[in-house]
């Protein structure tokens, strides 16, 4: 009787890491564990966190192997490089070791499940060096279950190790986090995933285009398991080449509903050129091929991001093809950062609209037409500068929504009226008194302070030295300097000086009034009037010209 064939194992299980060297992109964690094992400084509990498919459960099983490996001769100890041939290593790899217990916290999340663990840890391991509990998706435990396991987790027996794995570490109580040695498993870079998939297809005797593997690696979003599942599907979807399958980039795009990278670059070029009919035709072509509008916007956003990185000198994505790198470099040389950031915001808003729209393809067309219209407009900063300087401004877009041909479309439109000349600035007054009057007309309070509270030391525009005869506000000099600069369009130097100064204008005015009064009182007529009338008082003097003007008014 012939032996029945082995059932097919999916690639994600077949190529699960069996050694620490097989882990992709987790070198820092492997180095830490190697040092801990070599120095016999092993924690009693490990917490492994990261996105799906980066190797949390596989790492937990590898740690279980490393701690329980006895070597081919049965005399070995804990090692970062388990042999894989001894009975503990093989039993753990096959999931049948009695002392390595894997628990799914999603279905065993109650207090009773945790109580069973707390009671079982008291007993020594049956055949292994350590009894190891691997609790997957530990964040699914209930609050009561977490509280029940705290004491056991903090002080387990020496023969027990806990390995906790989760994708949502923020849901785990801090009291649990503080009792574990935490390892954050990183997303696997796309180029590393592509290299790994190349080894897998070689082992599977399957041919694959490098661009196809790069597409799968990008679609995996840092998850090896997701990528291997997509690769498994791509191999089943592929055609044949000789004796084996051939995975092509076109088949992968068709399978994933991705847009052709070349089609995205062509559409991006049409957007930059402002070709509305071409953009609408390209979008409909991709939609007819089965590409979702939201996926098309993702491709355009990736293109803008790639061009911006190339312009900023951030390096190119190794997963990009040579054609994409050359196109990004060319656009980066022609486009400014302001244009790229504006494109990013417009496409990002369009992507959100398409995802929420009842009519996705129509929403995509409207959003891209908005980008086309924006491409014909000048940069807002440049437009503001031209308007301020009275220069010509770019012409508006055609009523059809797209620009006219380059040979017929006017690039600039003359301003309808020349910019008005700025008003002429007055020259500084010849005297300090005239300056005070000018300041009083603009800032009455500042003018009064300048008139009443300071004496003039030096007036030589644009320099002004003053000596205060009473305390001034703290912002007096600043406000006066700013006002003079605005009035005369030149910087003024206003300072406080201790040098000899004239009396303030107020004191000068009072002195003049007193001198005029004394002169009037000294006239013979006024002296005779005071002698004839002992109770007479001086009330002031109005010149005849002023009195006549008052009567006529």
């Amino acid at each position: 009787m012939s032996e029945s064939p082995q059932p097919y194992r999916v690639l994600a299980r077949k190529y699960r890491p069996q050694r620490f060297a097989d882990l992709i992109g987790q070198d820092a964690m492997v180095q830490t564990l190697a040092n801990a094992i070599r120095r016999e400084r092993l924690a009693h509990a490990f917490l492994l966190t990261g996105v799906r498919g980066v190797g949390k459960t596989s790492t937990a099983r590898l740690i279980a192997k490393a701690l329980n490996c006895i070597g081919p001769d049965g005399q070995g100890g804990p090692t970062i490089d388990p042999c894989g041939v001894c009975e503990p290593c093989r039993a753990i790899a096959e999931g049948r070791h009695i002392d390595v217990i894997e628990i799914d916290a999603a279905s065993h999340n109650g207090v009773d499940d945790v109580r069973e663990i707390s009671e079982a840890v008291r007993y020594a391991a049956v055949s292994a060096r350590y009894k190891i509990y691997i609790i997957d998706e530990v964040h699914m435990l209930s609050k009561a279950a977490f509280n029940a396991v705290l004491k056991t987790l903090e002080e387990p027996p020496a023969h027990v190790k806990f390995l906790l794995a989760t994708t949502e570490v923020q849901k785990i109580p801090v009291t649990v986090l503080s009792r574990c040695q935490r390892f954050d498993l990183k997303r696997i870079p796309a180029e590393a995933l592509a290299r790994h998939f190349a080894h897998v297809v070689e082992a599977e005797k399957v041919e694959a285009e490098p661009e196809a593997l790069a597409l799968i690696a990008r679609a995996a979003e840092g998850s090896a398991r997701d990528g291997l599942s997509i690769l498994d599907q791509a191999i089943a979807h592929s055609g044949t080449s000789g004796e084996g399958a051939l995975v092509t980039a076109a088949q992968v795009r068709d399978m994933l509903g991705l847009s052709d990278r070349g089609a995205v670059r062509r559409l991006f070029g049409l957007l930059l050129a402002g070709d509305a009919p071409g953009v609408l035709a390209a979008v409909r072509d991709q939609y007819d091929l089965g590409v979702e509008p939201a996926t098309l916007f993702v491709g355009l956003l990736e293109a803008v991001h790639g061009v911006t990185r190339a312009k900023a000198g951030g390096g190119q994505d190794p997963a990009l093809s040579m054609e994409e790198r050359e196109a990004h470099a060319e656009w980066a040389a022609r486009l400014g950062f302001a244009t790229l950031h504006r494109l990013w915001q417009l496409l990002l808003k369009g992507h959100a609209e398409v995802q929420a729209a009842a009519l996705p393809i129509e929403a995509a067309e409207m959003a891209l037409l908005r980008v086309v219209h924006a491409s014909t407009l000048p940069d807002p900063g440049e437009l503001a500068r031209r308007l301020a300087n009275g220069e010509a401004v770019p012409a508006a877009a055609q009523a059809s929504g797209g620009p006219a041909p380059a040979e017929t479309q006017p690039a600039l439109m003359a301003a309808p009226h020349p910019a008005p000349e700025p008003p002429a600035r007055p020259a500084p007054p010849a005297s300090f008194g005239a300056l005070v009057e000018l300041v009083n007309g603009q800032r009455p309070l500042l003018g009064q302070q300048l008139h009443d509270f300071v004496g003039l030391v030096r007036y030589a525009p644009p320099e002004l030295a003053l000596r205060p005869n009473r305390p001034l506000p703290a912002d007096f000099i600043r406000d006066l300097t700013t006002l003079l600069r605005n009035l005369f369009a030149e910087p003024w130097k206003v300072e406080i000086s201790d040098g000899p100064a004239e009396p303030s204008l107020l004191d000068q005015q009072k002195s003049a009034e007193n001198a005029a009064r004394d002169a009037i009182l000294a006239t013979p007529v006024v002296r005779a009037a005071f002698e004839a009338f002992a109770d007479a008082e001086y009330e002031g003097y109005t010149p005849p010209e002023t009195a006549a003007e008052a009567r006529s008014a």
Side-chain angles (χ1 to χ4, degrees), residues 16-17 71 86 142 154 176 178 181 193 225 260 285 290 343 364 419 552:
R16 174 169 279 172
C86 65
S142 65
E154 183 176 19
V176 173
S178 64
Q181 190 172 101
L193 283 177
R225 183 176 63 231
D260 181 5
D285 288 343
L343 279 171
S552 63

Side-chain angles (χ1 to χ4, degrees), residues 321-387:
S321 65
M322 183 58 65
E323 292 81 2
E324 285 180 289
R325 296 183 190 181
E326 292 176 354
H328 288 177
E330 180 184 352
W331 282 323
R334 292 195 292 115
L335 299 175
F337 281 112
T339 301
L340 290 169
H341 293 321
R342 183 166 52 175
L343 279 171
W344 175 265
Q345 293 298 329
L346 289 168
L347 291 172
L348 197 63
K349 187 175 188 299
H351 179 259
E353 291 175 355
V354 169
Q355 286 186 312
L359 302 171
I361 183 60
E362 286 80 1
E365 290 177 344
M366 294 299 293
L368 291 177
L369 286 177
R370 187 166 63 229
V371 177
V372 168
H373 177 67
S375 70
T376 65
L377 298 177
D379 180 77
E382 178 66 14
L383 181 60
R385 185 190 66 79
R386 291 183 175 181
L387 290 174

Side-chain angles (χ1 to χ4, degrees), residues 229-251:
S229 298
I230 297 172
L231 179 60
D232 217 341
Q233 183 181 357
I235 293 174
H237 184 76
S238 65
T240 58
S241 173
E243 298 181 355
L246 173 63
V247 179
T248 65
Q251 292 168 341

Side-chain angles (χ1 to χ4, degrees), residues 399-419:
S400 62
E407 62 273 10
T408 61
Q409 180 186 7
L412 296 174
M413 178 176 62
H417 299 289

Side-chain angles (χ1 to χ4, degrees), residues 207-214 246-250:
E207 295 183 21
E209 295 179 355
E211 186 179 356
L213 298 181
L246 173 63
V247 179
T248 65

Side-chain angles (χ1 to χ4, degrees), residues 26-318:
Q26 313 299 339
D27 298 338
M29 180 196 67
V30 173
Q31 183 62 42
T32 302
L33 287 173
N35 293 340
I37 292 173
R38 184 171 60 253
R39 299 168 185 170
E40 298 182 356
R41 301 179 64 87
L42 292 170
H44 58 271
F46 298 89
L47 175 66
L48 306 171
T49 179
V51 299
R52 70 198 183 282
V54 293
K56 298 182 296 297
T57 307
S58 297
T59 300
R61 292 174 181 171
L62 290 176
I63 294 175
K65 280 186 185 180
L67 298 182
N68 286 324
C69 178
I70 59 176
D73 58 357
Q75 304 298 318
T79 174
I80 194 63
D81 191 19
C83 65
V85 297
C86 65
E87 176 58 25
C89 285
R90 289 189 288 108
I92 294 172
E94 296 169 6
R96 57 180 176 80
H97 199 292
I98 192 172
D99 291 320
V100 178
I101 302 99
E102 291 193 29
I103 301 171
D104 177 20
S107 56
H108 300 81
N109 56 5
V111 175
D112 293 338
D113 301 305
V114 173
R115 186 178 294 117
E116 292 179 5
I117 297 175
S118 301
E119 293 174 355
V121 296
R122 295 180 295 175
Y123 302 103
V126 176
S127 61
R129 186 178 296 112
Y130 293 103
K131 178 181 284 189
I132 295 177
Y133 289 90
I134 300 175
I135 306 178
D136 201 9
E137 300 301 334
V138 68
H139 66 273
M140 299 293 288
L141 290 179
S142 65
K143 182 178 180 180
F146 272 125
N147 291 333
V149 79
L150 282 179
K151 192 63 177 177
T152 304
L153 192 63
E154 183 176 19
E155 298 179 359
H159 61 272
V160 174
K161 302 292 181 185
F162 285 96
L163 303 177
L164 315 180
T166 180
T167 55
E168 301 183 45
V169 69
Q170 71 277 4
K171 293 184 178 181
I172 299 179
V174 177
T175 50
V176 173
L177 294 176
S178 64
R179 290 166 166 81
C180 302
Q181 190 172 101
R182 174 174 169 175
F183 292 101
D184 289 86
L185 278 68
K186 302 176 183 178
R187 287 182 184 270
I188 305 172
E191 56 270 22
L193 283 177
R195 289 194 299 269
H196 178 58
F197 298 156
H199 295 317
V200 170
V201 295
E202 183 180 356
E204 291 290 312
K205 296 180 172 57
V206 174
E207 295 183 21
E209 295 179 355
E211 186 179 356
L213 298 181
L215 287 171
I216 295 173
R218 279 196 295 268
E221 297 181 344
S223 169
R225 183 176 63 231
D226 287 7
L228 288 172
S229 298
I230 297 172
L231 179 60
D232 217 341
Q233 183 181 357
I235 293 174
H237 184 76
S238 65
T240 58
S241 173
E243 298 181 355
L246 173 63
V247 179
T248 65
Q251 292 168 341
V252 172
R253 290 192 194 95
D254 182 60
M255 181 186 73
L256 298 178
L258 297 176
S259 177
D260 181 5
R261 308 291 289 187
V264 170
R265 292 196 301 275
R266 289 190 294 273
L267 177 57
F268 188 64
L270 293 171
L271 286 173
L272 295 179
D275 186 356
V279 167
L280 293 177
V283 172
R284 282 292 174 174
D285 288 343
Q286 291 296 299
Y287 185 69
D288 293 341
L289 291 173
V291 179
E292 291 297 327
T295 304
L296 194 60
F297 271 82
V298 170
L300 290 171
L301 285 167
E302 289 177 347
V304 175
H305 178 258
V307 174
T308 307
R309 279 182 58 89
K311 187 171 186 63
Q316 293 282 2
D317 184 355

